[in-house]
């Protein structure tokens, strides 16, 4: 099940670039990479913020992380969608996955469909607008990653360590409970397992988020300065984002402390079939609870 697993490490790679340390002798390489991966989207139609955010003033911000399975001649779908909000004043971060089969209105299409189809219909722009509508919060930044980059980013940062809560076998690996060290191949297998998990897709989402957190933590380490060339090479060929280099620098400087306190939760819902197609249905009550939590964290009305 390669579709949902690939992204997350690499997606986090660009967040690690934003949060992680950097040195003058790498300045040119980083600016070149930031320019290459920069892909702005039209935010003029968004009505979710009364005023433009200022990262230098430590305004709370939000990210949408998209893991995309792209092929020649086919835009693909965003098989993984992770929302992150960061409040540097509270020194806290919230991270959760939106189940890819979630039924919602696709903004710009005038119809309801699976939320991950928004990317197939309208790319990053439509994905951001659809998530904004679904959660009723602003999405300030998106990071899109080609699924083929997952193993490379984990290896580029020198592997990651996670706290495994469920002993299982996957992809030829045996994962014991407790602290587990993962290289790229092992991280792929760890993220892939779904059928052997009592929580199914939700359990897989939790493991993917563990990988993201581990890479962000590794990317923020001063030791990463020696590995930046490897990370930059992976990012340049697999990542697109509307983050500018100046915004990355501001985030690194002003938001780094929030990494130490991360809250994770799952979007609760139920599966059903409509016209023979499976959907994940999230109640209005559940959405309202999530929206209230995120708005409080982002300090918006």
């Amino acid at each position: 099940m390669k579709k949902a697993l690939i992204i997350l490490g690499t997606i986090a790679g660009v967040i690690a670039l934003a949060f992680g340390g950097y040195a003058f002798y790498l300045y040119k390489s980083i600016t070149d990479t930031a320019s290459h991966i920069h892909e702005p989207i039209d935010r003029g139609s968004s009505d979710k913020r009364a005023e433009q955010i200022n990262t230098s003033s430590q305004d709370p911000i939000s990210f949408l992380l998209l893991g995309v399975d792209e092929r020649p001649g086919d835009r693909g779908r965003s098989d993984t969608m992770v929302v992150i909000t960061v409040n540097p004043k509270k020194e806290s971060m919230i991270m959760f996955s939106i189940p890819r089969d979630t039924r919602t209105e696709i903004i710009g299409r005038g119809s309801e469909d699976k939320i991950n189809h928004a990317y197939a219909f309208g790319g990053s722009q439509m994905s951001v607008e659809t998530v904004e509508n679904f959660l009723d919060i602003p999405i300030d930044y998106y990071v899109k990653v080609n699924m083929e980059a997952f193993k490379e980013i984990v290896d580029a940062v020198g592997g990651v360590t996670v706290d495994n809560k469920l002993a299982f076998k996957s992809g030829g690996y045996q994962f014991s409970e407790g602290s587990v060290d993962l290289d790229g191949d092992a991280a792929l297998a760890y993220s892939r397992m779904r059928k052997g998990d009592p929580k199914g897709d939700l359990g897989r989402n939790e493991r993917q988020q563990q990988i993201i957190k581990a890479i962000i933590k590794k990317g923020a380490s001063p030791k990463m300065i020696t590995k930046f060339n490897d990370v930059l090479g992976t990012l340049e060929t697999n990542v697109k984002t509307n983050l500018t280099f100046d915004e990355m620098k501001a985030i690194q400087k002003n938001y780094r402390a929030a990494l130490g306190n991360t809250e994770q939760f799952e979007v609760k819902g139920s599966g059903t079939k409509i016209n023979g197609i499976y959907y994940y249905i999230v109640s209005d009550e559940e959405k309202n609870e999530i929206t209230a939590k995120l708005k409080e964290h982002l300090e918006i009305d």
Side-chain angles (χ1 to χ4, degrees):
M1 210 173 185
K2 273 191 168 178
K3 293 186 175 180
L5 29 91
I6 297 295
I7 71 121
L8 297 165
T10 311
I11 275 188
V14 74
I15 303 300
L17 177 62
F19 280 106
Y22 56 93
F24 179 77
Y25 78 90
L26 280 175
Y27 187 88
K28 182 63 164 59
S29 296
I30 296 175
T31 54
D32 287 347
T33 298
S35 176
H36 190 273
I37 68 177
H38 184 242
E39 188 174 83
I41 58 176
D42 180 13
R43 306 304 293 125
S45 60
S46 176
D47 60 355
K48 301 301 181 183
R49 279 200 185 276
E51 298 179 358
Q52 186 174 352
I53 58 168
N54 186 337
T55 51
S56 296
S57 299
Q58 295 188 313
D59 291 342
I61 56 176
S62 60
F63 296 88
L64 174 63
L65 313 182
L66 298 169
V68 177
D69 178 20
E70 293 180 311
R71 300 181 180 91
D74 181 5
R75 177 181 280 164
R77 295 184 177 125
S78 55
D79 287 296
T80 303
M81 307 178 80
V82 178
V83 175
I84 296 176
T85 60
V86 187
N87 188 317
K89 296 170 186 175
K90 294 182 178 181
E91 295 189 356
S92 64
M93 183 167 73
I94 294 176
M95 176 190 299
F96 65 98
S97 297
I98 302 177
R100 60 185 181 177
D101 294 323
T102 300
R103 184 176 172 86
T104 189
E105 179 184 358
I106 306 298
I107 300 304
R109 294 282 292 184
S111 61
E112 292 193 341
D113 206 329
K114 296 184 179 185
I115 196 166
N116 73 324
H117 289 189
Y119 184 82
F121 295 138
S124 301
Q125 174 94 28
M126 191 172 287
S127 294
V128 167
E129 292 177 349
T130 296
V131 171
E132 283 187 330
N133 182 70
F134 177 68
L135 296 174
D136 193 26
I137 63 163
I139 296 296
D140 301 308
Y141 302 109
Y142 82 91
V143 183
K144 180 190 75 173
V145 178
N146 190 315
M147 58 175 287
E148 293 302 325
F150 178 74
K151 293 195 322 183
E152 286 81 355
I153 191 64
V154 173
D155 286 332
V157 300
V160 296
T161 301
V162 298
D163 182 18
N164 183 30
K165 296 179 173 56
L166 176 70
F168 65 91
K169 292 181 180 179
S170 176
Y173 291 88
Q174 173 67 55
F175 299 102
S176 303
E177 288 188 40
S179 181
V180 180
D181 296 326
L182 305 172
D183 63 10
D185 286 324
L188 185 66
Y190 184 81
S191 299
R192 175 180 293 170
M193 198 279 284
R194 175 177 62 93
K195 293 183 179 180
D197 192 320
K199 299 178 71 174
D201 276 340
L202 296 178
R204 182 183 60 184
N205 288 342
E206 289 176 1
R207 283 186 292 279
Q208 292 172 344
Q209 291 174 45
Q210 283 184 309
I211 299 293
I212 294 175
K213 286 178 60 180
I215 292 176
I216 293 176
K217 181 179 179 180
K218 201 76 174 285
S221 168
K223 296 179 181 179
M224 272 299 297
I225 200 71
T226 63
K227 299 181 181 293
F228 256 36
N229 283 333
D230 293 336
V231 174
L232 293 178
T234 300
L235 296 180
E236 188 165 329
T237 56
N238 294 287
V239 174
K240 293 294 181 183
T241 179
N242 62 334
L243 277 162
T244 66
F245 180 58
D246 286 342
E247 287 168 331
M248 291 180 189
K249 289 193 297 180
I251 291 169
Q252 182 275 329
K253 178 181 178 181
N254 299 318
Y255 293 70
R256 188 173 177 179
L259 297 177
N261 181 20
T262 303
E263 177 185 353
Q264 295 174 250
F265 63 87
E266 64 184 46
V267 177
K268 299 176 183 177
S270 58
T272 189
K273 284 191 175 183
I274 300 175
N275 297 325
I277 300 174
Y278 175 84
Y279 294 97
Y280 190 74
I281 306 299
V282 181
S283 68
D284 289 341
E285 181 181 8
E286 172 72 0
K287 284 195 292 184
N288 290 339
E289 289 182 6
I290 294 173
T291 295
K293 175 193 288 286
L294 298 178
K295 284 187 173 181
E296 179 182 8
H297 198 235
L298 291 171
E299 299 180 6
I300 58 177
D301 296 330

